[in-house]
Amino acid sequence: MSAMRQLRMLFLGLLILTLTGCSWFQKEGPVVQPFEFTDQNEEPFGMKQLEGKVWIADFIFTNCETVCPPMTFTMAELQEELGDRGLEVEIVSFSVDPAVDSPDVLKKYIEGFTQDQSNWHLLTGYSQEEIEKFALDEFQTLVHKPSETNQVLHGVSFFVINPEGMLIEDYSFTDPDLIPNIIDDVKRHQP
């Protein structure tokens, strides 16, 4: 194969990778845009407090009749495992039912899963429309509250965000390797 033909094949391969959005260099996902909401302690909390830290996010609500309690239980297990290994990480749970989930309601909810709230922030202080748009725009996940029920449809992923605010991975909370995989991600991205 001539050098010119090899060069054309290389160029064509790189062009295909570029046009399809794939790249050998693409290691990170989208950057989470700045936000500031209210946590369970009625304190403002957002990207300013997360700057330079690895964090894990999920979307839950307190009167959920299905997946939220086991998701929160799994997050509490993850929090304990990370703490046992001395890994510093923030946990952020966005309420997908902000009209019901006041800071006081969120505080009572989390107390049923962990006594250590030092690095776990349950957020509210936005409208239903805002959280639906935020979840889709920043995490590419669905949140929708149908008018005929008090339940909210939402994704069941845990999202890992690096210290630069980039979404680096998401895992279904039902993944049997969730905890070891997230621990590996956190170790790799510790500042």
Side-chain angles (χ1 to χ4, degrees), residues 19 42 65 72 94 101 116-117 126 145-146 150 153 165 185:
L19 292 175
E42 298 187 36
E65 298 172 355
T72 306
F94 296 95
D101 290 342
D116 180 8
Q117 297 178 38
Y126 35 76
K145 185 172 186 178
N150 68 350
L153 305 172
D185 288 338

Side-chain angles (χ1 to χ4, degrees), residues 58-103:
D58 69 349
F59 293 84
I60 54 98
F61 64 110
T62 61
N63 68 339
C64 177
E65 298 172 355
T66 58
V67 297
C68 301
M71 283 178 68
T72 306
F73 179 81
T74 300
M75 189 69 86
E77 287 182 321
L78 177 61
Q79 178 194 36
E80 186 174 344
E81 289 287 331
L82 289 162
D84 288 350
R85 287 172 170 72
L87 296 170
E88 293 185 23
V89 63
E90 297 293 317
I91 299 170
V92 181
S93 293
F94 296 95
S95 169
V96 296
D97 196 5
V100 172
D101 290 342
S102 66

Side-chain angles (χ1 to χ4, degrees), residues 74 77-78 81-82 85 87 160 171 175-188:
T74 300
E77 287 182 321
L78 177 61
E81 289 287 331
L82 289 162
R85 287 172 170 72
L87 296 170
V160 182
Y171 299 96
D175 181 342
D177 296 320
L178 169 87
I179 290 176
N181 286 340
I182 290 180
I183 288 170
D184 288 345
D185 288 338
V186 170
K187 285 179 180 176
R188 266 194 311 275

Side-chain angles (χ1 to χ4, degrees), residues 9-149:
M9 294 298 283
L10 177 63
F11 177 75
L12 181 61
L14 289 173
L15 180 62
I16 290 170
L17 284 173
T18 302
L19 292 175
T20 60
C22 298
S23 168
W24 294 304
F25 307 108
Q26 187 175 2
K27 295 179 183 167
E28 311 293 345
V31 175
V32 178
Q33 296 304 303
F35 66 87
E36 183 177 273
F37 302 128
T38 304
D39 73 7
Q40 73 270 26
N41 299 311
E42 298 187 36
E43 297 291 330
F45 188 87
M47 288 300 287
K48 183 177 178 183
Q49 290 77 19
L50 295 166
E51 187 175 316
K53 299 177 182 178
V54 176
W55 53 290
I56 302 162
D58 69 349
F59 293 84
I60 54 98
F61 64 110
T62 61
N63 68 339
C64 177
E65 298 172 355
T66 58
V67 297
C68 301
M71 283 178 68
T72 306
F73 179 81
T74 300
M75 189 69 86
E77 287 182 321
L78 177 61
Q79 178 194 36
E80 186 174 344
E81 289 287 331
L82 289 162
D84 288 350
R85 287 172 170 72
L87 296 170
E88 293 185 23
V89 63
E90 297 293 317
I91 299 170
V92 181
S93 293
F94 296 95
S95 169
V96 296
D97 196 5
V100 172
D101 290 342
S102 66
D104 187 52
V105 169
L106 290 170
K107 188 163 191 66
K108 286 180 180 128
Y109 176 78
I110 195 62
E111 287 170 352
F113 295 94
T114 184
Q115 296 308 308
D116 180 8
Q117 297 178 38
S118 63
N119 67 330
W120 196 338
H121 309 274
L122 285 80
L123 302 184
T124 189
Y126 35 76
S127 71
Q128 189 65 41
E129 295 77 24
E130 287 172 315
I131 191 60
E132 290 178 10
K133 182 174 180 354
F134 178 80
L136 186 60
D137 291 352
E138 303 306 324
F139 294 89
Q140 294 77 52
T141 192
L142 172 73
V143 171
H144 178 67
K145 185 172 186 178
S147 59
E148 64 276 359
T149 181

